Amino acid sequence: MHTQQKIEGEQIAIAVYRPLNGKSIELLNIVKEHHSRLDAEGLVTDRKPLILRAADGTLIEIFGWKSVKAIEDAHQNAKVMEMWEEFSAVCTYHPLIDLEESKELFA
């Protein structure tokens, strides 16, 4: 039997954003503001996010949600949904495994 268990406390997220053609700078600017905008809504920890760039220009952001509930709340928050629309205008989302670097022993 499989049960899903909610873990309390910080939830680390790894987001992978592939810029649309000609949108790399716009994407970087949005990613740089992402954490502070989520923080203004009380959704993330004070852990400084990591923003990384893959060889193909894809951006990877690693940050901490305050909790599972914070993630759920984000999906009901008008300001967050608006920001995610901004992301959709400049990038596509991908799983980490889509990055060539993820296939290396020490990515």
Side-chain angles (χ1 to χ4, degrees), residues 2-102:
H2 176 74
T3 59
Q4 184 175 8
Q5 185 176 24
K6 288 189 176 182
I7 300 170
E8 295 302 318
E10 182 179 27
Q11 301 293 297
I12 298 297
I14 303 173
V16 178
Y17 313 110
R18 184 159 294 144
L20 296 176
N21 193 23
K23 301 292 185 177
S24 295
I25 293 171
E26 288 177 66
L27 174 60
L28 180 58
N29 290 333
I30 295 170
V31 172
K32 284 181 177 179
E33 294 178 355
H34 187 223
H35 188 268
S36 64
R37 291 170 73 179
L38 292 173
D39 188 45
E41 300 301 310
L43 300 169
V44 291
T45 66
D46 59 359
R47 178 188 303 270
K48 184 179 178 183
L50 290 174
I51 300 171
L52 312 167
R53 186 184 319 267
D56 69 357
T58 298
L59 296 181
I60 302 97
E61 179 186 23
I62 304 170
F63 66 98
W65 292 101
K66 282 188 174 178
S67 64
V68 170
K69 182 171 181 342
I71 298 168
E72 293 167 356
D73 290 348
H75 288 86
Q76 304 303 316
N77 183 302
K79 289 182 181 178
V80 173
M81 299 304 289
E82 181 181 311
M83 176 177 47
W84 288 346
E85 286 294 321
E86 293 173 29
F87 271 94
S88 293
V90 298
C91 74
T92 55
Y93 303 100
H94 294 268
L96 190 57
I97 198 165
D98 281 359
L99 295 176
E100 284 301 313
E101 291 87 346
S102 72

